[in-house]
Amino acid sequence: MDELLTTKELSQLLRLNEKKIYELIRESTLPHVRIAGKWLFPKNHILRWIDENVQHEKDIMIAGSDDILFSRLLSLYSRDNKPESVAYYASIGSAAGVLALSSGKCQICCSHILDFETGEYNLPFLARTLGNQKYLVVNLCRRTQGLIVKKGNPLGIKGMDDIIGGKVRFVNRNKGSGTRFLFDYLLSEKGLDDSSGIIQTGIVDSHMEVASKVFFGEADTGLAIEYVANPMGLDFIPIRDERFDLVVLKELWPTRAIKRFIEYLDHDLVKKVSRNLPGYNLRDTGTILFSS
């Protein structure tokens, strides 16, 4: 019969306190059994669980904002490092990415969240969401966000005033995305609390979807990064430059997988990949902007 470990014995084996053991039980990631009200842990299953997690952590799990440059870099990383390491990317929006990092669902999140009170990117939101967790913020790039319009801008759209005045049809981004934060911030600058006076034609999950809606005439304009206007022959009205950052928990920073990934994203590679992508600025690429 498989040897059964007590909570205390398991905490000594894993070098974790017993409180953390109970957290792992609640998350259902740790092999366990309850007998007569007592938690016990089959040792062979635990050792297999450790081996599986060691293998798993060679790969990089990333969640957060949608970005074409980052997506291309991840494809290159996976190509150059397979089969030892592969990068998995869940484009679920900046806010959801930070929450995924906080709950241990990913090792890195990417974010471009503009704070209403300070006008600062990422750091205030991270402070509120990650609380006492220790983390580092590394800049990947700066990007230009603006309005996507038809070629030649036939409606003469100049800025947010045209959208707020209900003169054009606007396609919005999903809540929790960095672009939606920017849109709400721009509304607040105009003294508006919501978008009730705007003609919205839908909500989409990516920059390219915004461009597609404008291209096919389903919307007159929408907020997106500059690049997506290019392949579809659309025009772009710049609104604001933003910071696109990577966030890593400090406890993961020294691990081999994270070190390899961060080192791979060196400035020369990012510069090469972004060469034909308009709207990117690399002046802070690779800079550690914050360490809690």
Side-chain angles (χ1 to χ4, degrees), residues 167-185:
K167 300 174 185 177
V168 298
R169 297 169 301 154
F170 181 80
V171 56
N172 211 343
R173 281 294 307 276
N174 53 306
K175 284 191 175 182
S177 67
T179 302
R180 183 61 174 264
F181 275 94
L182 172 59
F183 175 69
D184 292 341
Y185 180 86

Side-chain angles (χ1 to χ4, degrees), residues 26-291:
R26 286 195 296 272
E27 293 171 3
S28 299
T29 62
L30 191 68
H32 61 275
V33 63
R34 189 171 182 127
I35 300 176
K38 185 176 182 179
W39 293 110
L40 296 171
F41 309 89
K43 186 173 182 179
N44 286 340
H45 286 74
I46 291 294
L47 295 176
R48 190 182 310 123
W49 176 81
I50 293 172
D51 287 340
E52 289 171 352
N53 278 273
V54 168
Q55 177 64 37
H56 174 72
E57 288 184 3
K58 291 180 181 178
D59 297 328
I60 303 293
M61 308 295 180
I62 302 163
S65 177
D66 164 48
D67 183 73
I68 182 65
L69 171 59
F70 194 44
S71 181
R72 291 188 180 184
L73 289 167
L74 295 182
S75 295
L76 288 174
Y77 173 84
S78 296
R79 183 199 69 185
D80 292 344
N81 288 277
K82 69 177 193 311
E84 185 176 0
S85 180
V86 174
Y88 296 94
Y89 181 29
S91 178
I92 56 178
S94 291
V98 176
L99 291 173
L101 182 72
S102 177
S103 60
K105 302 296 184 184
C106 63
Q107 295 142 294
I108 297 174
C109 74
C110 43
S111 174
H112 60 111
I113 296 177
L114 182 59
D115 182 64
F116 276 36
E117 294 182 6
T118 64
E120 166 102 43
Y121 271 96
N122 296 322
L123 298 186
F125 185 85
L126 292 170
R128 291 193 299 269
T129 307
L130 296 181
N132 293 327
Q133 291 177 282
K134 305 299 183 183
Y135 55 92
L136 295 99
V137 180
V138 183
N139 180 251
L140 179 73
C141 62
R142 291 178 179 268
R143 316 184 302 183
T144 305
Q145 286 256 34
L147 296 173
I148 307 294
V149 297
K150 284 277 193 180
K151 188 69 176 177
N153 193 9
L155 297 179
I157 297 170
K158 296 179 180 178
M160 288 298 296
D161 287 336
D162 296 306
I163 298 167
I164 293 168
K167 300 174 185 177
V168 298
R169 297 169 301 154
F170 181 80
V171 56
N172 211 343
R173 281 294 307 276
N174 53 306
K175 284 191 175 182
S177 67
T179 302
R180 183 61 174 264
F181 275 94
L182 172 59
F183 175 69
D184 292 341
Y185 180 86
L186 295 172
L187 287 183
S188 71
E189 284 189 320
K190 300 292 183 179
L192 299 176
D193 296 327
D194 57 49
S195 57
S196 56
I198 295 171
I199 305 172
Q200 293 195 66
T201 62
I203 296 173
V204 297
D205 296 328
S206 72
H207 297 283
M208 191 58 77
E209 286 180 276
V210 171
S212 295
K213 290 288 186 182
V214 175
F215 179 81
F216 288 110
E218 297 174 28
D220 298 316
T221 189
L223 268 177
I225 58 173
E226 184 175 353
Y227 163 75
V228 297
N230 218 39
M232 294 193 177
L234 301 170
D235 281 351
F236 179 78
I237 303 167
I239 296 289
R240 189 183 184 98
D241 289 336
E242 64 177 13
R243 210 177 68 217
F244 188 93
D245 295 333
L246 307 180
V247 187
V248 186
L249 293 182
K250 223 167 190 178
E251 64 190 62
L252 299 177
W253 185 258
T255 63
R256 182 182 175 189
I258 296 298
K259 288 173 69 175
R260 175 173 51 213
F261 180 75
I262 296 297
E263 288 170 0
Y264 183 84
L265 300 179
D266 67 81
H267 188 277
D268 288 341
L269 174 66
V270 179
K271 183 178 180 180
K272 179 180 177 182
V273 174
S274 66
R275 186 172 298 151
N276 297 320
L277 302 178
Y280 285 92
N281 183 309
L282 308 183
R283 71 175 185 264
D284 294 324
T285 296
T287 302
I288 297 177
L289 301 174
F290 180 80
S291 176

